[in-house]
Amino acid sequence: GIELKGPVLAVDAVEKEGEKPELLLFTVLEITKESVNLALREKGHGNLVKIGRVIKVKEIPISGTGKVNYRALRDDQII
């Protein structure tokens, strides 16, 4: 199989004025929004926890402290 280094996904929320926040799933995996939302429902999460978009990335950026660098993720994408 393929060996993955570092995180394979990160979830972030984007708020647009006058709208409810949209959950974004950034991932290096081939995965669909429908399959993620189905898995969330099967684990008992309600409709409040629903991925709005899946964004495929080459890698999940990591900060100097070893955490996901969400600013770099957002800056690399048109959100």
Side-chain angles (χ1 to χ4, degrees):
I2 297 172
E3 184 177 328
L4 299 171
K5 294 185 180 189
V8 296
L9 59 85
V11 176
D12 198 7
V14 174
E15 294 187 49
K16 295 182 180 173
E17 193 170 331
E19 297 179 22
K20 66 179 185 176
E22 179 183 29
L23 289 178
L24 307 177
L25 174 66
F26 295 92
T27 183
V28 300
L29 305 173
E30 293 294 334
I31 193 166
T32 66
K33 176 176 75 170
E34 292 77 19
S35 65
V36 172
N37 285 325
L38 177 61
L40 288 169
R41 280 194 307 277
E42 288 175 347
K43 293 294 182 184
H45 296 283
N47 283 337
L48 290 177
V49 180
K50 187 175 182 181
I51 299 297
R53 281 189 279 168
V54 172
I55 301 169
K56 180 88 173 11
V57 294
K58 289 181 182 177
E59 66 180 2
I60 304 293
I62 301 299
S63 70
T65 60
K67 297 179 181 178
V68 172
N69 186 337
Y70 286 98
R71 179 172 291 172
L73 262 180
R74 287 188 295 268
D75 289 349
D76 287 346
Q77 304 299 319
I78 299 171
I79 298 174

